[in-house]
Amino acid sequence: MGEYNCIVVLGPTAVGKTYIGVQLAGHFGGEVISADSRQTYKGLDLGSGKDLKDYVYEGKPLPYHMIDITDLGEEYNVFHYQQDFYRVFDSLRERGVLPVIVGGTGMYLDAIVRNYELVDVPEDKELREKLASKSLEELGAMYLDLKPDLHTKADLLERDRVIRGIEIVLGHREPKKSELLKGMYPRPEIKPLIMGTTFDRVKLRENIKKRLEERLEEGMLEEVQSLHDSGYSWERLEKLGLEYRWCSLFLQGKIESKEVMFEKLFIAIGQFAKRQETWFRFMEKNGVKINWLPAVQDKQVRLQSALALAGKYF
């Protein structure tokens, strides 16, 4: 086995990761594994940016994985992703196919690259009953005491997320953990060549705005309405965040106009992109080597840089 056994293409939203990943996979005899938390769900197409039409190399469809693998009624988390990823990764390696991981969900990428030791912690009814009487502030203080290195303070804003966080931290402790580890898929050796792609803040905001306009024209509001009509509650759709949250609020009449919705959503996506880049810097601080491609708009320049780098090892 060489120095690397897979490629990772990461970056914030709206920077053309899929194009670079597909071209790399096609050139080096690989297949794409998505690392996007919302693309795992069936039905979340325009809002999650699946862009399935882009999975084409030299006129032929290029296989992809970890997209459309679960129903919206199911809660799919980083543990489930890691376990499914390991299975796909091993199957590609057994076929002599290069895995090319493409995405922007920092926690999913980090869980793979830095080998998070995760277990599937079931709901603890007894614990939840004990926590039911506590305020959000009390729960937040308890969570921070248990997990002082919490990655994002956003986890402290929703009661359900805080309780689940406490549940998971306690569930990871011995002796429960050893029982939960039984039956888990064995962790393969993952040695990634990691490439990052992004733009300066002004250009990134321009790209976000252009892509948002395109997705609304393509029917993103209609997609969200269709999901609700098929039985998914507004609350469930709002929890998906960003496009699904703001479109749901507009469709419920909680936002006065499409223009106001657009502006609020545009700002929210920009803030999300900033959080993504913060996560990638966090990964670098923890020893993850990210080779950043030239921050230029010309995708061919970035692709040639990526091909040259990968060509040294594959």
Side-chain angles (χ1 to χ4, degrees), residues 70-106:
T70 191
D71 292 319
L72 194 51
E74 303 294 322
E75 286 292 345
Y76 193 84
N77 60 33
V78 65
F79 169 81
H80 301 132
Y81 177 83
Q82 191 186 54
Q83 287 287 290
D84 289 339
F85 177 93
Y86 288 162
R87 293 184 179 90
V88 171
F89 184 89
D90 271 352
S91 72
L92 295 187
R93 296 290 298 161
E94 285 168 9
R95 291 194 283 118
V97 172
L98 177 68
V100 179
I101 300 105
V102 180
T105 300

Side-chain angles (χ1 to χ4, degrees), residues 101-234:
I101 300 105
V102 180
T105 300
M107 183 174 283
Y108 281 22
L109 289 161
D110 209 19
I112 297 305
V113 170
R114 294 203 296 129
N115 293 319
Y116 284 17
E117 191 173 280
L118 300 171
V119 293
D120 192 17
V121 180
E123 282 192 12
D124 185 332
K125 291 184 179 178
E126 188 178 334
L127 173 66
R128 290 186 172 224
E129 286 172 7
K130 289 178 181 176
L131 298 178
S133 62
K134 294 187 180 295
S135 68
L136 179 59
E137 290 74 20
E138 289 172 320
L139 290 169
M142 183 178 176
Y143 190 19
L144 280 173
D145 186 51
L146 290 167
K147 193 178 175 66
D149 61 340
L150 189 66
H151 298 317
T152 170
K153 295 298 186 285
D155 288 341
L156 300 174
L157 301 178
E158 294 179 25
R159 186 180 183 84
D160 289 347
R161 285 176 72 175
V162 177
I163 290 175
R164 181 57 180 158
I166 293 170
E167 197 170 53
I168 289 171
V169 172
L170 294 176
H172 275 70
R173 295 185 171 180
E174 304 292 356
K176 286 184 178 180
K177 186 174 174 181
S178 58
E179 286 298 311
L180 293 170
L181 286 169
K182 291 178 182 176
M184 284 172 51
Y185 192 87
R187 179 187 300 166
E189 185 177 19
I190 298 170
K191 300 182 341 187
L193 172 64
I194 305 176
M195 305 180 193
T197 184
T198 190
F199 302 128
D200 64 67
R201 191 55 49 83
V202 173
K203 188 62 204 172
L204 183 57
R205 285 172 61 84
E206 287 176 6
N207 276 24
I208 289 170
K209 188 171 187 178
K210 181 172 180 285
R211 194 178 67 167
L212 180 53
E213 289 170 344
E214 290 171 352
R215 288 181 179 174
L216 284 166
E217 287 172 8
E218 290 168 9
M220 191 163 68
L221 277 168
E222 290 78 5
E223 175 177 293
V224 177
Q225 183 66 59
S226 176
L227 287 166
H228 178 65
D229 292 344
S230 65
Y232 297 111
S233 69
W234 290 124

Side-chain angles (χ1 to χ4, degrees), residues 51-71:
D51 299 327
L52 298 183
K53 64 183 183 300
D54 293 340
Y55 287 87
V56 175
Y57 181 74
E58 294 185 343
K60 297 179 182 177
L62 188 119
Y64 55 83
H65 307 270
M66 304 298 283
I67 294 177
D68 291 336
I69 61 171
T70 191
D71 292 319

Side-chain angles (χ1 to χ4, degrees), residues 248-301:
S248 293
L249 291 171
F250 171 73
L251 290 167
Q252 293 173 81
K254 294 180 178 179
I255 298 176
E256 57 268 36
S257 69
K258 194 179 288 188
E259 291 74 24
V260 171
M261 180 205 74
F262 182 94
E263 189 58 31
K264 288 181 178 293
L265 178 50
F266 170 59
I267 291 169
I269 297 172
Q271 292 169 337
F272 171 66
K274 192 173 179 180
R275 291 196 300 274
Q276 287 178 295
E277 296 197 312
T278 298
W279 192 291
F280 302 141
R281 288 196 296 273
F282 163 79
M283 289 172 67
E284 288 181 300
K285 286 178 183 175
N286 280 279
V288 175
K289 169 66 175 171
I290 301 177
N291 300 277
W292 290 99
L293 303 177
V296 295
Q297 181 66 7
D298 190 330
K299 64 183 181 181
Q300 292 304 323
V301 171

